[in-house]
Amino acid sequence: MIVLTTFVAAEPSVPAVAGPGDPEPASLVTLSVPDRAAMERLVASGADLTERVRPQADGSVQVDAVATPSQLAAYAALGATLAPGTPPQAKAKATAAQDQLVIERAVWMKSRDGYFLSVEASSSAGEAATLTVAWKGKGGSTGQAPMVPYVDAGAYLGHQFSTPVPADGRPQWVTVTSAVGGTAEARVKEWPDGEQPDRAGPGYQKDFVTQYMPPAQLNERIKALHQRYPKLTELITLPYPTNGYRRHAQALIGTPPAAAVVITSDAYGSEGGNDLAAELVNPGAPGRPLQVTVNGKLITVSLATDASGAPASTAAQVTAAINATAPNSTGGTGVKATTYRANAGDGVMAPAPLTQLSDFLNAPASVSRAPARVLALRIGAHRDGSRTGVLAYAQEHAREWVAPLVVVEAAERLLRNYTRDKATRRLLERTDVFIVPTVNPDGANYSFYDFNGQRKNMTNHCPAQQSDPALRNTWGVDVNRNYAVGSLSDGYFGASANCQSGTYAGPAEHSEPESRNVMWLAEKHRNIRFAMNVHSYGGYFMWPPGAYRLDGRVTLPRPTAQQEAYFLRSARTIEQAIAAERGTVIWPQQTGPVTDVLYSAAGNSADELWYDHGVYGWDFEVGADLWDPGTRTWQAVGFQPPFAEGHAEALEFVSGLISLVGVAADYREP
Ligand SMILES: [Zn+2]
């Protein structure tokens, strides 16, 4: 089995033996599902999937996910199991009448590990066809490899390789052969074969990121850039404060499920909740009534006793007694008690020692608990709306630590090279760049200090029965499912209504300040024509449409052929710039509309930017797979690779982002 990362709880406060109040440990794993339909069930269940999806030769699909043991058990019921270490082989298919083949694309790529081949073809026999590619290359090299059918939401989208295959020489011709007789041949073209990036001048400066940065450091960095380059920049405080890196204080007392009580402070932990404590005592005499007293910040529950003097209060009774007495008397701070996960609470409570309520947040006190202001750095020589605007925003998803480095490094390069590099000067003369290093600072803090697998923001919309402290790592809204175009409430697929889901869309479109801030920028600055939404990982370059209705696989309207050609042409230029850095080539099968190359993501920001604001909305998934020459397989890099790898990923995608600014500089309104 493949376990990519075990998320080690960062919290020193976690006891060696986990109790019922502690979250289950989560791991980043590679799951195998039998087919695309099973993956859709997994998406529909609200599984916390990463953006790395790999079809396999036998029709199965491998996808990385963040999951706890109990989630893995639930996914197993949906057909998802931990992937075996070796990919499965193609299964034999029934024979049929000879089919017609069309080769849609056959390209070679040169990465730092040599030549690779990618072929996309389709058969008139559809997904049942068994296709094989044979190639001939320079110096008499040859090879062959099986293709896999790509079926999404019941629609056959053609055959491709599971991943690009290594070729000893540069492939020149491919022949695709079907098991039932169809055949087709094509010349192999180069990929990405875009325009070469501007050659940097001799004094060109780069490499300004030296570590992963939590939100406070990111903001310090762009503030410092603003101070240093006041004529070229403007610091924008986005209007919607986040909820803040804070939580209500809680204690779980007793033995779940029937004999446990969850106490939650009305105040956030940092605003007095953490000062509260509760105890359950045995009055030491028979026939005593249940009593709750509050002394300052201490809640004492004196349990009822029976005729023999044994405690006799149930969890439901203790809950009601606390709620009747304690709400407004705990030092001015109220509390609410509930039974465990909506249990009837028939179990008899045992005495319990003094338990301090806690918000379980482990960031040092220097990390602000107040609502956060999200910052944008506006960069350009003419910031009056007359130049083409480019919005680069990162970390909608908290655990994607490389993403903010990409946009911060871009800001550094644009500003520090303005006076020394002619090409950079041209960019700042002709464009108006908006950099948002972290859209979701609360979630990012939680990812840095508490649970590094955190994807969503920190706002808990769950009802009481889903709000005991052991579930705290499941709360929050997926910011990139909270937008208003092609959303869950519009009937689109790939977001969840379950508040604990990895893709929880939130209680309503734009319910979260994080998503409202991004859209505010686009609404306020109508000159923004391009946007790059930076995510990790998997090595993708994508654009709209990003969502479909599952029934009939009806996508949001596709861009016109002319617009699609522009998306693709620009993508190839940008990917050329990425490759120039260390030879990382974004695969052709991972370059395209989100719905075609990844999956449906209802309510994502790029779709809203494109459909409501006419902004060319792109997505980077930085962190392309690395080729392992030993095993001859592509390996996932994960969300938080060792910094040397994260740094290299950041530098190569910054070159892509700067190239996008170049595309914007050349843009003319049609
Ligand atoms: Zn993401």
Side-chain angles (χ1 to χ4, degrees), residues 463-547:
Q465 65 264 26
Q466 289 167 282
S467 289
D468 61 273
L471 300 180
R472 63 185 183 267
N473 288 348
T474 71
W475 302 333
V477 176
D478 183 343
V479 175
N480 204 27
R481 299 293 184 278
N482 189 238
Y483 294 88
V485 168
S487 69
L488 178 70
S489 55
D490 293 341
Y492 284 81
F493 183 68
S496 172
N498 179 347
C499 63
Q500 288 183 254
S501 156
T503 53
Y504 176 48
E509 293 171 350
H510 290 177
S511 60
E512 306 306 296
E514 291 86 351
S515 60
R516 291 201 299 275
N517 278 330
V518 172
M519 285 308 140
W520 179 87
L521 268 172
E523 275 154 26
K524 179 95 179 163
H525 303 287
R526 298 293 184 156
N527 60 321
I528 294 177
R529 310 301 296 157
F530 294 86
M532 180 57 75
N533 183 11
V534 187
H535 286 256
S536 79
Y537 61 90
Y540 291 80
F541 191 174
M542 301 181 289
W543 54 84

Side-chain angles (χ1 to χ4, degrees), residues 218-306:
L218 294 167
N219 287 338
E220 283 313 308
R221 185 65 82 89
I222 62 168
K223 283 182 193 165
L225 281 171
H226 171 56
Q227 276 179 355
R228 184 165 173 158
Y229 301 98
K231 291 211 174 79
L232 289 173
T233 64
E234 186 180 318
L235 199 60
I236 302 173
T237 302
L238 302 187
Y240 302 103
T242 68
N243 191 57
Y245 173 74
R246 55 184 180 173
R247 279 195 171 147
H248 300 281
Q250 295 191 298
L252 185 147
I253 296 173
T255 308
V261 174
V262 175
I263 301 175
T264 303
S265 67
D266 290 345
Y268 288 103
S270 48
E271 292 163 21
N274 287 343
D275 301 332
L276 305 180
E279 62 182 350
L280 272 56
V281 301
N282 184 336
R288 303 299 294 269
L290 172 63
Q291 271 193 322
V292 175
T293 54
V294 178
N295 181 3
K297 299 185 185 289
L298 171 63
I299 303 161
T300 301
V301 178
S302 179
L303 297 168
T305 51
D306 63 15

Side-chain angles (χ1 to χ4, degrees), residues 393 485 529-533 541-548 555-560 563-568 591-597 599 601 604-620:
Y393 58 112
V485 168
R529 310 301 296 157
F530 294 86
M532 180 57 75
N533 183 11
F541 191 174
M542 301 181 289
W543 54 84
Y548 50 67
T555 68
L556 285 164
R558 300 199 74 104
T560 64
Q563 289 163 337
E564 281 222 345
Y566 182 70
F567 269 119
L568 184 61
T591 303
V594 176
T595 50
D596 293 2
V597 304
Y599 45 56
N604 72 78
S605 50
D607 277 344
E608 184 164 341
L609 287 168
W610 171 247
Y611 293 102
D612 272 9
H613 299 285
V615 173
Y616 282 88
W618 317 79
D619 310 279
F620 272 160

Side-chain angles (χ1 to χ4, degrees), residues 63-310:
V63 56
D64 294 356
V66 173
T68 63
S70 53
Q71 283 169 333
L72 285 177
Y75 301 161
L78 299 172
T81 53
L82 286 169
T86 50
Q89 297 305 303
K91 54 189 172 202
K93 293 275 166 55
T95 54
Q98 179 170 333
D99 52 351
Q100 301 292 316
L101 303 185
V102 176
I103 297 176
E104 276 124 16
R105 185 158 58 183
V107 293
W108 61 267
M109 301 170 259
K110 175 122 174 27
S111 85
R112 61 188 176 282
D113 296 293
Y115 290 100
F116 292 84
L117 175 68
S118 170
V119 180
E120 290 151 84
S122 58
S123 160
S124 59
E127 60 177 300
T130 301
L131 305 187
T132 306
V133 176
W135 69 87
K136 290 189 194 126
K138 283 214 151 179
S141 63
T142 60
Q144 68 170 53
M147 302 187 85
V148 300
Y150 186 32
V151 179
D152 183 57
Y156 169 64
L157 301 180
H159 278 63
Q160 59 186 29
F161 290 144
S162 175
T163 53
V165 298
D168 289 334
R170 174 159 82 71
Q172 291 173 304
W173 285 93
V174 288
T175 306
V176 180
T177 312
S178 163
V180 291
T183 181
E185 205 177 44
R187 176 185 267 289
V188 185
K189 295 181 176 157
E190 183 181 354
W191 179 267
D193 198 28
E195 279 174 47
Q196 292 295 329
D198 290 324
R199 192 178 290 274
Y204 192 83
Q205 294 192 346
K206 61 181 190 177
D207 196 356
F208 298 97
V209 290
T210 56
Q211 59 188 8
Y212 290 125
M213 288 186 272
Q217 273 186 39
L218 294 167
N219 287 338
E220 283 313 308
R221 185 65 82 89
I222 62 168
K223 283 182 193 165
L225 281 171
H226 171 56
Q227 276 179 355
R228 184 165 173 158
Y229 301 98
K231 291 211 174 79
L232 289 173
T233 64
E234 186 180 318
L235 199 60
I236 302 173
T237 302
L238 302 187
Y240 302 103
T242 68
N243 191 57
Y245 173 74
R246 55 184 180 173
R247 279 195 171 147
H248 300 281
Q250 295 191 298
L252 185 147
I253 296 173
T255 308
V261 174
V262 175
I263 301 175
T264 303
S265 67
D266 290 345
Y268 288 103
S270 48
E271 292 163 21
N274 287 343
D275 301 332
L276 305 180
E279 62 182 350
L280 272 56
V281 301
N282 184 336
R288 303 299 294 269
L290 172 63
Q291 271 193 322
V292 175
T293 54
V294 178
N295 181 3
K297 299 185 185 289
L298 171 63
I299 303 161
T300 301
V301 178
S302 179
L303 297 168
T305 51
D306 63 15
S308 71

